[in-house]
Amino acid sequence: MTRDPIVTLGAASAATSVVSSSPVVAEGPGAPREGGLGLPRLNRRELMLGGMLATGATAMPALAQDGFERPPEAPAAAAVPALPLEQAKLPNGLRMLLLPRPGVPRTAIRLIGEGGWVRDPSGKEGLAEVALSMLAQGAKRDGEAMDSADIAYAGDLLGLPLALELNALSAEIALEALPDQCDDAVNLMADLTQRPALAFESLEHIRSRAQDALVLRRADALLLGPWAARRAFWGRVQPVQTSSSLKRLKREDVLAFHRQVWRPERSTLLFVGELSMETAKGLATDFMADWRPPKAAAAAPNAAAALATAVPGPGSAQFLQLPQGQGCRLIVQSPIPRGTPPVLRALARELMHQRLAARLPWSWESEIESLGGASRWSFSVTLPVAAVPEQLALLREQLPLLAAEPVTAEDLATAQALALGDWQAALAEEPDALIARALARGELEDCVQWPQRLKAVSAPVLQLLMGASWRDNRTQLLLLGDAGPPEPAQRAWPGLNLATIRAVIGE
């Protein structure tokens, strides 16, 4: 059989202009940092200093060994690791990606499909989560049934539990294995996607768990916050699962959704480890070459297309009281212009985060997220009740000032160093998750060329993006939790209105 040529996306290929149009999707390549492959982790300051050297920032002077007559030699720039990603495709359309990692003892393997929760059919929100969870409840291998315990045991034999991960734009099955166990891992993935049981009993079990999670979410400001923020930003086109939508789910819905999502021509098999593309392609051929696209009915209407063209809501301020909550969750968010390159978004987030942390004395979190169209740039923090009015007043005063501050060369160098450090940390700790996120967002080439594209950004371009954000008529604020009487918060942030769960998330 003739094999497709292997394509390598290396760091040596030319970087495109950062002002060119590209899809605006979620946070930069350095988002969530959990897991690891046993590589040393640099702390944030070490990465920042290394990045400053790599971007040409002025280093601290040092004394020459023989006195003050000869300036010291400049230290060598920190080496930036390459991302030699290889690609191939099976005849059935299954895409393959390989990131070779010499010396790594275990291979990370991910099968990535298009079943993100933005594809939940209208009125049946929660289907993507339920359908993915049901994969681990039963399947067949060689005609023999495997129940959930068998599947869990098969994953445990590989050394780490089977992981099912659902994002807005993708559904993933993740495993890790020793080199001589990779065939078992790929075989298990093939069982779950090509021969799942998707039994009615499993649906009832998963549905019950999802409904319990909804009850917890309603009472927890930290869990409720992201969903409330998305609904305020994208409006009613943003899908949010409710008790009613979960009750509507039938087994036929799960079967149809599975046929639409888990198809070879819409899936990617990713390997990260010490193996060759020839070996990886052999594994895929052994277990997935016979995977054929099933006949699927037309997809039910969902939010994906509407979200791609949705216009973010205007500036607003809402206070959702949760009497049983512990403290308050404060979220402030602003849209980012469509077409803003991922690298430019990441630099703006890093710079604004540094400025905000210097002016407001709390541990703020920052995020940039997109669901296929406009991007939501948010900052959030958990506060005790007594601190809420003061922080609201400071935030209202400082946000526009911080965004309007000129971007100096030093500001740009610092942001570049931090964004490069995030990318390096993600590449060292969990490169398979880094690549999977970029792939789901349509930002794979940006991820591969991240160091080069960071260097290509200029301070004036970054200044334009900073100045276009955090304006009064575009900034949204959400306050969730137990903040006591609303009057102090309303005096600190005029226009802050009381809201209800039904108004915010539709239930």
Side-chain angles (χ1 to χ4, degrees), residues 82-116:
L83 197 61
L85 195 62
E86 301 177 16
Q87 300 191 61
K89 185 177 287 188
L90 295 187
N92 62 2
L94 178 66
R95 184 182 184 184
M96 296 184 57
L97 295 176
L98 168 66
L99 178 63
R101 305 290 284 179
V104 174
R106 298 181 63 82
T107 298
I109 307 172
R110 287 180 183 250
L111 184 59
I112 306 163
E114 296 180 349

Coordinates of all heavy atoms in Angstrom, one line a residue, residues 82-116:
A82 N 12.3 23.6 19.5 CA 11.6 23.5 18.2 C 10.3 22.6 18.4 O 10.2 21.9 19.4 CB 12.5 22.9 17.1
L83 N 9.4 22.7 17.5 CA 8.2 21.9 17.6 C 8.1 21.2 16.2 O 7.3 21.6 15.4 CB 7.0 22.8 17.8 CG 5.7 22.2 18.3 CD1 6.0 21.5 19.7 CD2 4.6 23.2 18.5
P84 N 8.9 20.1 16.0 CA 8.9 19.4 14.7 C 7.7 18.5 14.5 O 7.9 17.3 14.6 CB 10.2 18.7 14.8 CG 10.4 18.3 16.3 CD 9.8 19.5 17.0
L85 N 6.6 19.1 14.3 CA 5.4 18.3 14.2 C 5.3 17.7 12.9 O 5.4 18.4 11.8 CB 4.2 19.2 14.5 CG 2.8 18.6 14.8 CD1 2.9 17.8 16.0 CD2 1.8 19.7 14.9
E86 N 5.0 16.4 12.8 CA 4.8 15.6 11.6 C 3.4 15.3 11.4 O 2.6 15.0 12.3 CB 5.7 14.4 11.6 CG 7.2 14.6 11.8 CD 8.0 13.4 11.9 OE1 7.5 12.3 11.5 OE2 9.1 13.4 12.3
Q87 N 3.0 15.2 10.1 CA 1.6 15.0 9.7 C 1.5 13.9 8.7 O 2.4 13.7 7.8 CB 0.9 16.2 9.2 CG 0.8 17.4 10.2 CD -0.1 18.5 9.7 OE1 -1.3 18.2 9.5 NE2 0.4 19.6 9.5
A88 N 0.4 13.1 8.7 CA 0.1 12.1 7.7 C -1.4 11.9 7.7 O -2.1 12.4 8.6 CB 0.9 10.8 8.0
K89 N -1.9 11.1 6.8 CA -3.3 10.8 6.7 C -3.5 9.4 6.2 O -2.8 8.9 5.2 CB -4.0 11.8 5.8 CG -5.5 11.6 5.7 CD -6.2 12.7 4.9 CE -6.1 14.0 5.6 NZ -6.9 15.1 4.8
L90 N -4.5 8.6 6.8 CA -4.8 7.3 6.3 C -5.8 7.4 5.2 O -6.5 8.5 5.0 CB -5.5 6.5 7.4 CG -4.6 6.1 8.7 CD1 -5.4 5.2 9.6 CD2 -3.3 5.5 8.2
P91 N -5.9 6.4 4.3 CA -6.9 6.5 3.2 C -8.3 6.8 3.6 O -9.1 7.3 2.8 CB -6.7 5.1 2.6 CG -5.3 4.6 2.9 CD -5.1 5.2 4.3
N92 N -8.7 6.4 4.8 CA -10.1 6.7 5.2 C -10.3 8.1 5.7 O -11.4 8.5 6.2 CB -10.5 5.7 6.3 CG -9.7 5.8 7.6 OD1 -8.8 6.6 7.7 ND2 -10.0 4.9 8.6
G93 N -9.2 8.9 5.7 CA -9.4 10.3 6.0 C -8.9 10.7 7.4 O -8.8 11.8 7.8
L94 N -8.5 9.7 8.2 CA -8.0 9.9 9.6 C -6.7 10.7 9.5 O -5.8 10.2 8.9 CB -7.9 8.6 10.4 CG -7.3 8.7 11.8 CD1 -8.3 9.5 12.7 CD2 -7.0 7.4 12.4
R95 N -6.7 11.8 10.2 CA -5.5 12.7 10.2 C -4.6 12.2 11.4 O -5.1 11.8 12.4 CB -5.9 14.1 10.4 CG -4.7 15.1 10.4 CD -5.2 16.5 10.6 NE -4.2 17.5 10.5 CZ -4.3 18.8 10.8 NH1 -5.5 19.3 11.2 NH2 -3.3 19.6 10.6
M96 N -3.3 12.2 11.1 CA -2.3 11.8 12.2 C -1.3 12.9 12.4 O -0.9 13.6 11.5 CB -1.6 10.5 11.7 CG -2.5 9.3 11.6 SD -1.5 7.9 11.2 CE -0.4 7.9 12.6
L97 N -1.0 13.2 13.7 CA 0.0 14.1 14.0 C 1.0 13.4 15.0 O 0.6 12.6 15.8 CB -0.6 15.3 14.8 CG -1.6 16.2 14.0 CD1 -2.1 17.3 14.9 CD2 -0.9 16.8 12.8
L98 N 2.2 13.7 14.8 CA 3.3 13.2 15.7 C 4.2 14.3 16.1 O 4.8 15.0 15.3 CB 4.0 12.1 15.0 CG 5.3 11.6 15.6 CD1 5.0 10.9 17.0 CD2 6.2 10.7 14.7
L99 N 4.5 14.4 17.4 CA 5.5 15.2 18.0 C 6.5 14.3 18.6 O 6.3 13.8 19.7 CB 5.0 16.2 19.0 CG 6.0 17.1 19.7 CD1 6.6 18.0 18.6 CD2 5.4 17.9 20.8
P100 N 7.7 14.1 17.9 CA 8.7 13.2 18.5 C 9.3 13.8 19.8 O 9.6 15.0 19.8 CB 9.8 13.1 17.4 CG 9.1 13.5 16.1 CD 8.0 14.5 16.6
R101 N 9.5 13.0 20.8 CA 10.0 13.5 22.1 C 11.1 12.5 22.5 O 10.8 11.6 23.4 CB 9.0 13.7 23.2 CG 7.8 14.5 22.8 CD 8.2 16.0 22.7 NE 8.4 16.6 24.0 CZ 8.7 17.9 24.2 NH1 9.0 18.6 23.2 NH2 8.8 18.3 25.4
P102 N 12.3 12.6 22.0 CA 13.4 11.6 22.3 C 13.6 11.6 23.8 O 13.7 12.7 24.5 CB 14.6 12.1 21.6 CG 14.0 12.9 20.4 CD 12.8 13.5 21.0
G103 N 13.7 10.4 24.4 CA 14.1 10.3 25.8 C 12.9 10.3 26.7 O 13.1 10.0 27.9
V104 N 11.7 10.6 26.2 CA 10.5 10.6 27.1 C 10.1 9.1 27.3 O 9.9 8.4 26.3 CB 9.4 11.4 26.5 CG1 8.1 11.3 27.3 CG2 9.8 12.9 26.4
P105 N 9.9 8.7 28.5 CA 9.6 7.2 28.8 C 8.2 6.8 28.3 O 8.0 5.6 28.0 CB 9.8 7.1 30.3 CG 9.6 8.4 30.8 CD 10.1 9.4 29.8
R106 N 7.2 7.7 28.4 CA 5.9 7.3 28.0 C 5.4 8.1 26.8 O 5.8 9.3 26.6 CB 4.9 7.6 29.2 CG 5.3 6.8 30.5 CD 4.3 7.0 31.6 NE 3.0 6.6 31.3 CZ 2.5 5.4 31.4 NH1 3.3 4.4 31.8 NH2 1.3 5.1 31.1
T107 N 4.5 7.5 26.1 CA 3.9 8.1 24.9 C 2.5 8.6 25.2 O 1.7 7.8 25.7 CB 3.8 7.2 23.7 OG1 5.2 6.8 23.4 CG2 3.2 7.8 22.5
A108 N 2.2 9.9 25.0 CA 0.9 10.4 25.1 C 0.1 10.3 23.8 O 0.6 10.6 22.8 CB 0.9 11.9 25.5
I109 N -1.1 9.8 23.9 CA -1.9 9.5 22.7 C -3.3 10.1 22.9 O -3.9 10.0 24.0 CB -2.1 8.0 22.4 CG1 -0.7 7.3 22.4 CG2 -2.8 7.8 21.1 CD1 -0.8 5.8 22.3
R110 N -3.8 10.9 21.9 CA -5.1 11.5 22.0 C -5.8 11.3 20.7 O -5.2 11.4 19.6 CB -5.0 13.0 22.2 CG -4.6 13.4 23.6 CD -4.5 14.9 23.8 NE -4.1 15.2 25.2 CZ -4.9 15.8 26.1 NH1 -6.1 16.1 25.8 NH2 -4.4 16.0 27.3
L111 N -7.1 10.9 20.8 CA -8.0 10.9 19.6 C -8.9 12.0 19.8 O -9.7 12.1 20.8 CB -8.7 9.5 19.6 CG -9.6 9.3 18.4 CD1 -8.8 9.4 17.1 CD2 -10.3 8.0 18.4
I112 N -8.9 12.9 18.8 CA -9.7 14.2 18.9 C -10.8 14.2 17.9 O -10.5 14.0 16.7 CB -8.7 15.4 18.7 CG1 -7.5 15.3 19.7 CG2 -9.4 16.7 18.9 CD1 -6.3 16.1 19.3
G113 N -12.0 14.4 18.3 CA -13.1 14.5 17.4 C -13.8 15.9 17.5 O -13.4 16.8 18.3
E114 N -14.8 16.2 16.7 CA -15.4 17.5 16.6 C -16.6 17.7 17.6 O -17.4 18.6 17.4 CB -15.8 17.8 15.2 CG -14.7 17.9 14.2 CD -15.1 18.1 12.8 OE1 -16.4 18.1 12.6 OE2 -14.3 18.4 11.9
G115 N -16.7 16.8 18.6 CA -17.9 16.8 19.4 C -17.9 17.8 20.6 O -18.3 17.4 21.7
G116 N -17.5 19.0 20.4 CA -17.6 20.0 21.4 C -19.0 20.4 21.8 O -19.9 20.2 21.0

